[in-house]
Amino acid sequence: MSSENFAMGIFLFSQITVGMLGNSSILIHYIILISTGKSLMPKDQIIGHLTFANCLSVISKAIPQTLSNYGFKDFLNDIGCKLINYIYRITRGMSLYAMCLLSCFQAITISPSNSRWMIIKHRATKYIGPSCSVGWLVNLFLNIMTPVTVSGPRYNKNVTKWKINEYCSWFVYGNVGTALSMFILCFSDGLCLGLMACSSVSMVSRLYRHKRQVQHIHSSQHLLNASAENRATQSIVILVCTFVISYLLSSIMVMLMAYSKYPMLLRVTVFTFLETCFPIVCPFVLMSNIKHSISLVFFCFCRR
């Protein structure tokens, strides 16, 4: 194993450690909440699904690449490659869907309290749980072609239609079915990104208007509630920006790697870093809003 492989392996391993610690902390927080008899709020339900998807994304993307950097060969067979890539594609799509749902729900939450928006808020709160479950099913079917196009590592000479990585291979199809599948995936991703952008613009504009109006409010309780909602909104806007930036950079990296049959180690490692950047950053942004709740829940759980 070369020093370059070892350094890249250390880098990815540190990513895995930080990402798993952050996401596991939030998952444990929600598990303790449920075990103490508390029901999750709609926003917490979305964050729970998002965090679980982030954990699976880190496991299915960063761990195989780290093992490959450390010199392990053929640690995944054909079934293992299909399964690990299928899980990653599902969880990546679910992260996008959950972020879209979270940003839209927060935009509705801070909307004006007139009769029309109150009806929308009530319906959104009612259907958040089922919407999260539907998101998993939708991504399960959207990425159904992944196991077909992925195989174990191939070392024979007849590899003209295969893109070979250190531990898996991808068959390059040129038929109509593949083009249609790619179009549906790109359309769904673009739709979610567009909704995230619109909801983020709406939230930023409402935050700006609230900042101008807050000086005329003298109720301390109202200010406290507004401040908590504003912090949550700011965190979600930060998450949306982080997701969009990492998504765009990783998409650009995919196009660059498409021109090479045997990607360089640095390119693959940078691509893995970009793909797992959001799942690692996400829990620490969320913790800034729920840290008080986490400490309180742990205290109550320990007393029980």
Side-chain angles (χ1 to χ4, degrees):
M1 180 175 59
S2 65
S3 59
E4 184 183 10
N5 287 65
F6 183 77
M8 295 298 180
I10 291 291
F11 175 70
L12 290 179
F13 181 76
S14 63
Q15 264 196 300
I16 296 169
T17 304
V18 173
M20 290 305 297
L21 283 175
N23 287 290
S24 299
S25 300
I26 295 180
L27 282 179
I28 292 171
H29 163 62
Y30 287 132
I31 291 171
I32 293 175
L33 273 179
I34 296 172
S35 64
T36 52
K38 298 181 182 295
S39 58
L40 296 181
M41 299 295 289
K43 192 188 303 179
D44 294 322
Q45 294 179 34
I46 302 173
I47 293 174
H49 284 271
L50 174 63
T51 306
F52 182 65
N54 287 342
C55 283
L56 292 180
S57 293
V58 173
I59 291 172
S60 58
K61 187 66 179 179
I63 290 181
Q65 186 59 48
T66 303
L67 292 175
S68 177
N69 287 347
Y70 280 131
F72 289 92
K73 300 293 183 182
D74 300 328
F75 57 90
L76 287 176
N77 57 13
D78 188 64
I79 296 176
C81 277
K82 292 179 184 295
L83 181 62
I84 207 75
N85 282 279
Y86 190 38
I87 291 173
Y88 173 69
R89 295 300 306 177
I90 292 172
T91 54
R92 183 178 182 271
M94 186 60 197
S95 294
L96 174 59
Y97 176 83
M99 271 308 306
C100 177
L101 197 61
L102 183 62
S103 59
C104 291
F105 180 76
Q106 186 64 21
I108 294 172
T109 301
I110 65 173
S111 60
S113 299
N114 54 41
S115 58
R116 184 185 65 179
W117 281 108
M118 287 300 292
I119 295 173
I120 296 176
K121 288 179 186 179
H122 176 72
R123 290 179 178 177
T125 303
K126 183 179 178 181
Y127 293 110
I128 282 298
S131 297
C132 292
S133 301
V134 168
W136 287 102
L137 292 175
V138 168
N139 283 285
L140 194 73
F141 288 107
L142 281 178
N143 297 281
I144 198 68
M145 288 295 294
T146 301
V148 179
T149 58
V150 176
S151 177
R154 292 176 174 262
Y155 299 106
N156 56 10
K157 296 181 180 179
N158 188 20
V159 292
T160 55
K161 291 188 176 182
W162 289 87
K163 294 292 182 180
I164 302 173
N165 202 350
E166 287 87 347
Y167 55 91
C168 287
S169 304
W170 288 264
F171 187 77
V172 182
Y173 285 96
N175 53 24
V176 178
T178 304
L180 180 62
S181 176
M182 291 298 298
F183 173 78
I184 294 173
L185 284 173
C186 292
F187 177 78
S188 61
D189 286 2
L191 180 62
C192 288
L193 289 171
L195 289 173
M196 287 166 59
C198 293
S199 59
S200 298
V201 170
S202 174
M203 287 188 285
V204 169
S205 63
R206 293 191 188 281
L207 284 175
Y208 177 73
R209 285 199 297 268
H210 175 267
K211 185 177 180 181
R212 295 181 60 183
Q213 296 171 358
V214 73
Q215 57 185 345
H216 305 294
I217 300 174
H218 302 287
S219 171
S220 59
Q221 183 62 39
H222 184 87
L223 283 173
L224 184 62
N225 294 336
S227 177
E229 260 330 308
N230 288 345
R231 286 198 303 270
T233 303
Q234 290 169 3
S235 298
I236 293 171
V237 171
I238 292 172
L239 284 178
V240 169
C241 293
T242 305
F243 188 95
V244 172
I245 291 172
S246 63
Y247 181 92
L248 293 176
L249 290 177
S250 62
S251 299
I252 293 171
M253 198 67 192
V254 167
M255 290 186 286
L256 292 176
M257 292 174 63
Y259 291 99
S260 175
K261 184 186 296 186
Y262 302 97
M264 294 170 56
L265 174 64
L266 181 60
R267 292 181 182 177
V268 176
T269 305
V270 169
F271 175 68
T272 305
F273 166 73
L274 293 174
E275 289 281 278
T276 56
C277 181
F278 174 78
I280 292 168
V281 173
C282 178
F284 298 99
V285 176
L286 294 172
M287 280 180 188
S288 63
N289 287 291
I290 63 175
K291 59 184 178 182
H292 175 70
S293 177
I294 289 177
S295 60
L296 182 62
V297 168
F298 270 101
F299 175 74
C300 295
F301 184 77
C302 291
R303 288 196 64 178
R304 293 186 65 176

